[in-house]
Amino acid sequence: MKTYLLPSLKLTAVLIILCSVLYPLLIAGIAKTAPGQGKGVTLSLNGKVVGYENIGQKFTKDEYFWSRPSAVDYNAAGSGGSNKGPYAPDFLASVKARIDTFLVHNPGVTKEQIPVDLVTASGSGLDPDISIEGARIQVQRIARKRNKNEKDLFDLIDKTKEKPLLGFLGPEKVNVLKLNIALEGLPK
Amino acid sequence: MNTELLGVVATFIITLAIGIPLGKYISKVFKGEKTILDFMAPLERFIFRICGIDPTKEMNWKQHVAALLSLNLLWFVYAFVMFLFQGSLFLNPDGNPSMSPHLSFNTAASFLVNCNLQDYSGETGVTYLTQLAVLMFLHFVSAATGIAALVVVFKAMREKVTDKLGNFFEIFVKSITRILLPISLVIALLLVFHGTPASFDGKDQLITMQGDTAHISRGPAAGMIAIKHLGTNGGGWFGANSAHPLENPDYFTNMVEVIAQVIIPVALIFALGHYLSRKRLAWVIFGVMTIGVLIFLYPALHAEIKGNPAIAQMGPSSSGGNMEGKEVRFGAPASAYWCILTTVISTGSVNSMHDSFMPVSGCMQLLGMMTNCFYGGNGVGILNYYIFLIIAVFISGLMVGRTPEFLGRKIEAKEMKIATIIALLHPLLILAFTALASFGLVRDPSLPWLNNPGYHGFSEMLYQYTSCSANNGSGFEGLGDNTPFWNITAGFVMLLGRFLPIIGPIAIAGILAQKKYIPESSGTLRTDTGTFGLMTYAVIMIVAALAFFPALTLGPLAEYFSRH
Amino acid sequence: MTSERKKAKTMKLFEGGLVKEALKHAFVKLDPRIMVRNPVMFTVEIGTAVMLLVIVGILFTHTHDQGSLGYNIFIFVVLLLTLLFANFAEAIAEARGKAQAESLRKTREETPAKLIAPVGELRVDEIQVVSSSSLKKGDVFLCETGDIIPTDGEIIEGLATIDESAITGESAPVIREAGGDKSSVTGGTKVLSDRIKVKVTTEPGESFLDKMIALVEGASRQKTPNEIALTILLAAFTLVFIIVCVTLKPFADYAKTPITIAALISLFVCLIPTTIGGLLSAIGIAGMDRALRANVITKSGKAVETAGDIDVLLLDKTGTITIGNRKATNFYPSNGVNAEVFQERAVLASLADETPEGKSIVELAKTLGGKTQASDTLLAEARFVKFTAETRSSGIDMKNGTRIRKGAFDSIRNISEKAGNAFPEETVIKVKEISSNGGTPLVVSENEKVIGVIELQDIIKPGISERFERLRKMGVKTVMVTGDNPLTAKFIAEKAGVDDYIAEAKPEDKMNYIKKEQISGKLVAMMGDGTNDAPALAQADVGVAMNSGTQAAKEAGNMVDLDNDPTKLIEIVEIGKQLLITRGTLTTFSIANDVAKYFAIVPALFIASIPALQHLNIMNLKSPESAILSAVIFNAIIIPILIPLALRGVEYKPIGASALLRRNLLIYGLGGILVPFIGIKIIDLFIGMFF
């Protein structure tokens, strides 16, 4: 083994330069030409950056489309999920609480209508999306709160929703931040 | 078929479509034939020259092992020291602290062995320096170590009697320059153009629409995310790993990442076929592995799509599937597919939280790691499979009335001894240490280890050691594992679970290569038939899975049945 | 065949006397010092001992957390039975092998021997009658008509007809004589005529038979490399399940499920491969026993295993592929010679010819209905000319001066040309034609004039080409060795269906052929008898010496065939394969059994505290106790049930390796999974009446 230690040491040094210095620098360089210059794509409202396209943020006020529950309270500096087992009593209790909260804020919605993503926490705690169902179920509440026509809101969801990849791969979804920005943009 | 299942099927088909030609390419690289990346040759020559390595000097199997261990020993010391002092070193814009000695030990071991269990959180536990110069570096070299070890075994499986099996350093360096680095670059750029950050800027701060203050972690993540998958490493930039929307921004990147992690293991199977001119054997191995994966995948897909009956009882429609711990942009099917792939392969990166999967899926994830040879990690997957192959050859050789032989070499007591030790090691490590942890909890039920009570809590402990021994790195992350007990025991399990299963197959292949080559006759048991494939599958399931039946009964199975 | 030998050969599987002895040995073998040689069963013994302690503990403390006393005693008894069954399997195999060998040995024990005592430097025929057991290597003894040969030896003087039926079962007497390759005699055989002096070649107790008996008895039985490898695998399985069971205790503690020691040990014993572990040595002994039954004495167990691996088989043409010697098949008179006359001349020339060829000419004439009996007066006054190497012809000189000769083509041509007679062209053509058809031409002349040709043909044994086909399917290449010329050899090789041939073979040709095949990685078997075969026999991976062969040949080979039957090699290959297959299939069966046993015991362990696991009780066993008992009982009784299979061996079918694997996987793999489900359920139905 001794005969191999010296070449191993040199090789380690060379490879650190190759893999840990040159490789990321090259990517960072090319990333300057990418959307967001490799720093993440931000979204603005009225000229002010209000968030990152991909990072979900907390929406709990009734006039906004709500995001999914988050185990880390949308702390984008400490992502994570609840890591609760599917039958853990405390987990089921918190789901129950979320259902109750939702029903209180959305009168007229039955508990059977609530899509499951609105009462479960995402894996990252930063899920930027909700299901189409998850958006539509909130329309009644927002329309009432904002004095809007429900149909306009449904149209807004249809316009903002993202189709599956290439139209046939993966789920349909809607980005909550984009939806809310669009919501703000609706004529008063 | 709905778009979500279609996405899963498409992902698998693309994997195969890339894997076959890539396998041929890898074989050519190590045969020294012409390839499109020959322009790397001057760089390689330069590396060998300044490192004082003569790439033409061939080694026997023992020398290969010595070279492999020399490199790994150095990296381990290097990583350990870096973590211990990272807080006071440069490239630390977020001001993250140094690690405790036991966490340093655990993390160094974890990344050295291609396991990437993370007892720290990505955003706060490491600095940009250690992310790049230690973690990402280890991503490359640990993957290359696995590939190189396998290539040594390839060389030993050729028909000639020899103890000259190529030069380890040459194989190792080429694994990086010809395979890992170029492909990682492509993947990283795909990610960057879909929103993954790659700049060296630190945390961002902003006011959200609702008026909350948000801190957003960023960093040069794309390069690391590429190699963490390609190298079947799994240790991500952010705490939430590939569930994090910057690490895995959309369905496209999700496909890229799940293909990237399985592509080299799949390609290596076909590389074996091409390298040894035994295409049929490669297809049989691929078939067995694929069936193995599908048998784990189906129940998981089914359970996740069906959703959580306990939630359905409370009202909400379960049409979205089991969404706790999952991201809407991937959905339940793609998350289930990922969770099985990442556990059969030793990647262990997650795009959803395994702890929150249904018990059946959790059971399949565990089985994926317990068998640990369906596709498997870079190089090591086939090495593990090789061990089972030897055992299968032995039993079926007897069943047809011939002293067992594999690829023209007789399997005798010495090879069986090594093979059985390696096959034994995995259940030994997993069961013994889970027993130790269970014992600890029985003695002191107040230990703050488990995030979930009862059977699921047991699954968390079982999962942790299974993941460590399989060098997987995923976790039932509810486990409070950043304690001296977990860091140190897990560290040892990872180290043992890595190096013995690499040395064993090299030793067997090396010993076999020196034996007389017996040409095949009509009485020889062919190892490239469906029947033999079935036999291998049975051996894997009986040796690797059956030993865990009682443990699984007390974990996921008890959890499942208590609700059904 | 002596009744002793016949009885031994047709012995029932479980002969009363043997069973009794085996039962006794089953208990003797419980000695841990003996058990430790079998790691699987040794752990069962430890488990049984622990159960005994538990019972004692219950008796003294009267606690009930380990289950009822009766239940614990029941488990203990079943475990003890498991051990006894396994020991019995080994013991019965040993007993059978021993009985087989004893029956051979008895024939030669304590016969009086006429020792020729050396007096001074000279050996005079001073004969002492001593016991055969006192004969030492180098002694010389005398055997006369009616004597039983006291021990193995080599004839140094004389010739005798010997009845070897005591050993071989073949009733036709054989001739043995000093010098040459037929000089060996075996103890226990009987001299029918003449007298011979025999030199003892082995020390008492060191004959092949003695060695074989020792092998079967187990004292000197060494594990073969293959057995060692399998033992390692089985030990590994045992270790895995030790880990499984030991760690189950803390797991269960965590789940707050108490597990009794009896349940834990039962689970362990059921999971480890006790079936194959208990039968492994019986299988090995039975393999040697089967060889012995085929009248083959093996010098080691390894030789039998190696036989199963043979790639190339060297076979002598004569006796193996063709029946004994050539036979006359046709008379071809020359032009102008009357067929009947020619036939008569041919018979006359052969009447005094005692060789099989000569006899066959007379026989052929008889079947063709010609005149075969010359008048006695004619013969009485005739002079027979014997075959000599010089003239290479034989014949008869009659009183009336007629000289008839028959011989090889060139020798008769010499005779006729010397006398100035032309050799007819059509005879030359006929001779060539016969040769190219694999026959041997014998030319007949009368008064130095050629009158015709007799065709001699090798008669290929009926069914031999099917046997070669069978060998080919096994992956064994057959090579015919013959002294014939290449043309004849090729014809016979093709007709018999062998893969290759060595023509005009000299002893060193065999040796070279073997070496050539071995260099390319093949395993070669051959059979031989002569001293000049000895190097090749030693070189071959499996060398079978004929018992009638020389001592040197017997020493060089690793098996001795008592029947001197060249086709025996084929049987030996099958015995070797059978041995390996039996091991492989029973290993598979044993391990496949675990699935059902898991489903019986694991739910039973936890059902009390986790009722939900009732779903795992897919056999719907009545209670946890009955489930555990059923599993251990099944585990125990499967051993005696499989003893007949272990002793007889799993049948080998030459259907190609992959097809054979498929077949055996289906029977012993799938069967191994299903059978215990059924068996355990049935036992549970029965036990359920009590528990």
Side-chain angles (χ1 to χ4, degrees), chain B residues 454-472:
Chain B
Y455 315 131
H456 196 83
F458 180 75
S459 300
E460 285 180 343
M461 297 189 287
L462 181 64
Y463 195 105
Q464 182 78 351
Y465 287 116
T466 308
S467 175
C468 289
S469 182
N471 289 172
N472 184 278

Side-chain angles (χ1 to χ4, degrees), chain B residues 387-401:
Chain B
I387 293 291
F388 293 118
L389 206 61
I390 294 289
I391 296 176
V393 160
F394 183 78
I395 298 178
S396 38
L398 290 184
M399 277 210 280
V400 301

Side-chain angles (χ1 to χ4, degrees), chain B residues 259-407:
Chain B
I259 290 169
Q261 60 181 296
V262 73
I263 198 66
I264 288 186
V266 166
L268 283 172
I269 305 169
F270 295 105
L272 177 142
H274 190 264
Y275 194 89
L276 301 176
S277 302
R278 290 179 187 272
K279 294 229 164 70
R280 252 183 83 98
L281 179 65
W283 276 101
V284 168
I285 294 176
F286 175 77
V288 172
M289 290 182 170
T290 303
I291 288 169
V293 171
L294 291 179
I295 288 176
F296 294 154
L297 176 61
Y298 178 77
L301 261 180
H302 179 79
E304 295 312 307
I305 292 172
K306 207 165 151 246
N308 187 341
I311 293 182
Q313 251 172 25
M314 291 188 272
S317 102
S318 57
S319 64
N322 174 30
M323 287 304 288
E324 177 68 22
K326 294 194 181 61
E327 305 287 300
V328 167
R329 64 190 179 283
F330 310 138
S335 300
Y337 179 75
W338 180 303
C339 91
I340 294 301
L341 266 284
T342 199
T343 43
V344 292
I345 303 163
S346 75
T347 314
S349 73
V350 295
N351 75 346
S352 47
M353 296 300 137
H354 287 192
D355 218 346
S356 301
F357 271 77
M358 301 309 295
V360 170
S361 315
C363 187
M364 295 302 134
Q365 293 162 3
L366 280 164
L367 280 170
M369 296 185 289
M370 285 162 175
T371 50
N372 200 26
C373 63
F374 296 137
Y375 301 153
N378 274 359
V380 293
I382 297 181
L383 292 181
N384 287 337
Y385 190 88
Y386 182 78
I387 293 291
F388 293 118
L389 206 61
I390 294 289
I391 296 176
V393 160
F394 183 78
I395 298 178
S396 38
L398 290 184
M399 277 210 280
V400 301
R402 264 180 90 95
T403 302
E405 57 199 39
F406 178 57
L407 299 186

Side-chain angles (χ1 to χ4, degrees), chain C residues 320-502:
Chain C
T320 314
I321 297 166
T322 60
I323 295 173
N325 295 291
R326 286 175 283 243
K327 279 191 169 163
T329 52
N330 263 312
F331 295 116
Y332 298 107
S334 302
N335 283 352
V337 180
N338 179 295
E340 220 161 281
V341 172
F342 173 62
Q343 197 173 310
E344 190 202 2
R345 297 291 183 270
V347 169
L348 279 174
S350 310
L351 276 177
D353 190 348
E354 283 297 322
T355 63
E357 284 99 338
K359 283 179 183 163
S360 78
I361 292 171
V362 179
E363 265 167 42
L364 177 67
K366 214 185 266 173
T367 52
L368 292 175
K371 195 175 164 197
T372 56
Q373 289 298 316
S375 69
D376 286 346
T377 48
L378 195 68
L379 283 181
E381 292 166 14
R383 192 176 67 83
F384 294 107
V385 180
K386 277 203 169 176
F387 178 89
T388 66
E390 222 171 306
T391 61
R392 294 174 61 220
S393 64
S394 62
I396 188 167
D397 289 347
M398 310 245 263
K399 187 75 197 272
N400 60 10
T402 312
R403 293 174 301 279
I404 306 169
R405 293 285 182 278
K406 70 173 201 303
F409 163 64
D410 45 351
S411 71
I412 300 295
R413 189 174 59 185
N414 273 348
I415 293 172
S416 73
E417 280 174 356
K418 230 181 241 171
N421 294 324
F423 200 89
E425 193 59 32
E426 83 264 11
T427 308
V428 177
I429 294 169
K430 199 78 216 167
V431 162
K432 276 196 181 146
E433 191 189 310
I434 292 170
S435 286
S436 62
N437 280 335
T440 310
L442 273 184
V443 184
V444 182
S445 68
E446 184 177 5
N447 296 334
E448 290 81 40
K449 257 181 78 179
V450 173
I451 57 168
V453 186
I454 306 168
E455 182 180 7
L456 295 175
Q457 276 284 8
D458 272 310
I459 305 299
I460 292 174
K461 279 192 176 176
I464 197 77
S465 59
E466 285 80 7
R467 295 198 90 163
F468 291 140
E469 184 55 37
R470 195 174 157 89
L471 282 167
R472 199 167 300 119
K473 280 190 185 142
M474 289 183 202
V476 180
K477 176 180 158 190
T478 46
V479 181
M480 180 180 84
V481 183
T482 173
D484 291 341
N485 63 55
L487 207 65
T488 312
K490 182 167 185 278
F491 181 85
I492 295 174
E494 275 168 14
K495 209 166 156 196
V498 292
D499 301 306
D500 196 4
Y501 61 89
I502 311 174

Side-chain angles (χ1 to χ4, degrees), chain B residues 139-199:
Chain B
H139 278 162
F140 275 102
V141 294
S142 66
T145 300
I147 296 175
L150 179 65
V151 171
V152 173
V153 172
F154 280 4
K155 286 183 187 281
M157 287 200 280
R158 285 171 307 184
E159 292 183 3
K160 66 176 185 201
V161 178
T162 182
D163 63 346
K164 299 258 181 298
L165 305 172
N167 181 290
F168 187 81
F169 294 111
E170 192 224 2
I171 302 170
F172 170 76
V173 169
K174 275 188 168 176
S175 304
I176 293 178
T177 54
R178 300 294 179 99
I179 301 168
L180 296 173
L181 206 52
I183 304 177
S184 292
L185 193 63
V186 174
I187 295 169
L189 293 179
L190 285 175
L191 295 176
V192 163
F193 282 86
H194 276 259
T196 300
S199 77

Side-chain angles (χ1 to χ4, degrees), chain B residues 81-283:
Chain B
V81 172
M82 290 289 277
F83 292 131
L84 219 47
F85 298 106
Q86 63 177 8
S88 33
L89 293 171
F90 56 97
L91 258 184
N92 185 8
D94 298 340
N96 290 338
S98 294
M99 286 188 186
S100 65
H102 56 84
L103 183 58
S104 296
F105 167 75
N106 182 280
T107 310
S110 166
F111 279 77
L112 177 77
V113 305
N114 198 280
C115 178
N116 299 199
L117 182 84
Q118 292 161 296
D119 285 359
Y120 62 90
S121 180
E123 295 91 338
T124 53
V126 279
T127 67
Y128 284 8
L129 177 69
T130 42
Q131 289 266 38
L132 294 175
V134 181
L135 300 184
M136 195 165 76
F137 166 72
L138 289 176
H139 278 162
F140 275 102
V141 294
S142 66
T145 300
I147 296 175
L150 179 65
V151 171
V152 173
V153 172
F154 280 4
K155 286 183 187 281
M157 287 200 280
R158 285 171 307 184
E159 292 183 3
K160 66 176 185 201
V161 178
T162 182
D163 63 346
K164 299 258 181 298
L165 305 172
N167 181 290
F168 187 81
F169 294 111
E170 192 224 2
I171 302 170
F172 170 76
V173 169
K174 275 188 168 176
S175 304
I176 293 178
T177 54
R178 300 294 179 99
I179 301 168
L180 296 173
L181 206 52
I183 304 177
S184 292
L185 193 63
V186 174
I187 295 169
L189 293 179
L190 285 175
L191 295 176
V192 163
F193 282 86
H194 276 259
T196 300
S199 77
F200 284 79
D201 300 77
K203 263 186 211 139
D204 196 9
Q205 188 179 340
L206 52 79
I207 308 291
T208 69
M209 273 180 82
Q210 251 193 188
D212 304 316
T213 307
H215 300 272
I216 289 147
S217 285
R218 297 179 300 183
M224 179 169 172
I225 296 163
I227 183 64
K228 90 163 179 190
H229 287 117
L230 190 68
T232 64
N233 295 285
W237 190 270
F238 301 105
N241 208 292
S242 279
H244 194 287
L246 289 181
E247 196 151 333
N248 192 359
D250 56 29
Y251 200 80
F252 173 78
T253 58
N254 190 60
M255 282 175 77
V256 169
E257 289 180 18
V258 79
I259 290 169
Q261 60 181 296
V262 73
I263 198 66
I264 288 186
V266 166
L268 283 172
I269 305 169
F270 295 105
L272 177 142
H274 190 264
Y275 194 89
L276 301 176
S277 302
R278 290 179 187 272
K279 294 229 164 70
R280 252 183 83 98
L281 179 65
W283 276 101

Side-chain angles (χ1 to χ4, degrees), chain B residues 8 44 48 76 92 94 108 145 156 210 233 305 331 336 388-389 429 443 445-446 476 515:
Chain B
V8 169
E44 288 153 7
F48 293 138
F76 182 70
N92 185 8
D94 298 340
T145 300
Q210 251 193 188
N233 295 285
I305 292 172
F388 293 118
L389 206 61
L429 290 175
R443 288 286 299 276
S446 66
F476 274 12
K515 286 192 185 180

